[in-house]
Amino acid sequence: MKKLISVSILLFCFILISARITGQVKNQVTPQKKGQVKSQVSPQKKGQVKVQIATQNKGQIINEATPCNWQKNEVDPFTGVTAKTTNWEIVGYNASTNATQNSEIIGDYKFSISENIEKKDTTYMLWIKTSTSQSLCFNKDSKILIKSGETILTINLIGGTPCGKSITSNGILDIDTRKFLRSHPMDLLRIQFSGDGNTIVNVDLKDVDKYAKLESDYFIKTFRCFR
């Protein structure tokens, strides 16, 4: 009988000790695992998604090119030709009265560029509009000369032979000319008119003379309108 009581007491003590050990294991191991999952894994994943992806998308949107304001942007319903034409911009002006350099022709000079797409063919034109203090003409010999460094580009004007103090003409911008003007500023620009008796009259615009001003980056910024 005494042995039976002793065995029962030992068994009861063993159960109590086992219960205490089990409680310690639950209190030490289980909370640590939960804490690791919440504090280490979840916050990192959420932070990476919000900071990396969202920030990159915002940067891409900000860096997109601003669309140009067009003087004309339409499709001809009869010919199907898509035409885009930039607004007129003053590329230069001449306010000098030095007659020895033909600079007595006071006035301003505006440019515009057009893109015409007909089926698979695309052509580009440079348009020029001048307002001068005396009557001048554009004829078959009229042209625009552009100097950049040691390179000289020639754009022949083909748009008729109007005369007056406010006249307009245009010339073709071929692929090599466009490629060069996209990345090179102008140092000097010469407009070749015809005067009385078909005499040639040259008007020079440059970026360093306060009387003859030239917007040297006109083509660089304007060609960004055409992708």
Side-chain angles (χ1 to χ4, degrees):
M1 188 68 180
K2 289 181 179 180
K3 288 181 179 181
L4 183 60
I5 293 171
S6 299
V7 171
S8 299
I9 293 171
L10 289 172
L11 182 60
F12 178 74
C13 292
F14 178 77
I15 291 170
L16 288 176
I17 294 170
S18 298
R20 288 180 180 179
I21 292 172
T22 302
Q24 289 177 354
V25 170
K26 287 183 179 180
N27 291 333
Q28 293 176 5
V29 177
T30 305
Q32 287 178 356
K33 287 184 178 179
K34 288 183 179 179
Q36 289 173 354
V37 172
K38 289 183 179 179
S39 61
Q40 295 178 6
V41 179
S42 299
Q44 286 179 358
K45 287 184 177 179
K46 288 182 180 179
Q48 289 173 355
V49 172
K50 289 182 179 179
V51 174
Q52 294 178 1
I53 297 178
T55 304
Q56 286 177 0
N57 288 340
K58 287 182 179 179
Q60 290 172 357
I61 293 171
I62 292 172
N63 293 330
E64 287 181 356
T66 304
C68 293
N69 294 320
W70 301 100
Q71 177 191 157
K72 179 181 179 183
N73 185 3
E74 62 185 16
V75 179
D76 190 306
F78 293 97
T79 64
V81 175
T82 300
K84 287 183 179 181
T85 306
T86 63
N87 287 322
W88 289 106
E89 289 188 48
I90 295 179
V91 177
Y93 61 85
N94 195 309
S96 176
T97 56
N98 186 350
T100 60
Q101 300 178 359
N102 284 327
S103 297
E104 71 277 10
I105 305 172
I106 299 171
D108 60 60
Y109 310 88
K110 297 179 181 179
F111 280 178
S112 176
I113 296 175
S114 67
E115 175 192 67
N116 297 284
I117 303 174
E118 184 175 6
K119 296 180 180 179
K120 293 184 179 180
D121 295 327
T122 303
T123 57
Y124 291 85
M125 302 289 290
L126 174 63
W127 297 81
I128 178 172
K129 178 190 292 185
T130 69
S131 298
T132 54
S133 57
Q134 70 182 61
S135 180
L136 294 171
C137 299
F138 285 129
N139 63 12
K140 60 182 179 61
D141 296 320
S142 295
K143 61 190 67 176
I144 295 172
L145 301 171
I146 299 171
K147 190 174 188 301
S148 177
E150 298 301 317
T151 301
I152 297 176
L153 302 175
T154 301
I155 302 171
N156 295 308
L157 299 176
I158 59 176
T161 57
C163 294
K165 293 184 178 181
S166 296
I167 56 179
T168 304
S169 189
N170 61 74
I172 296 174
L173 289 169
D174 60 41
I175 187 170
D176 291 331
T177 300
R178 298 196 310 271
K179 184 177 180 180
F180 183 87
L181 291 174
R182 282 178 183 272
S183 56
H184 293 82
M186 296 180 285
D187 299 324
L188 182 64
L189 185 146
R190 171 173 289 175
I191 305 169
Q192 185 170 297
F193 297 90
S194 64
D196 295 335
N198 288 326
T199 57
I200 294 176
V201 178
N202 293 322
V203 174
D204 291 344
L205 302 175
K206 51 190 175 181
D207 198 38
V208 295
D209 191 331
K210 65 180 180 179
Y211 295 111
K213 182 66 177 177
L214 172 66
E215 295 297 327
S216 59
D217 64 341
Y218 170 78
F219 288 103
I220 294 175
K221 63 183 179 62
T222 303
F223 273 125
R224 292 174 186 164
C225 299
F226 304 97
R227 295 293 179 179

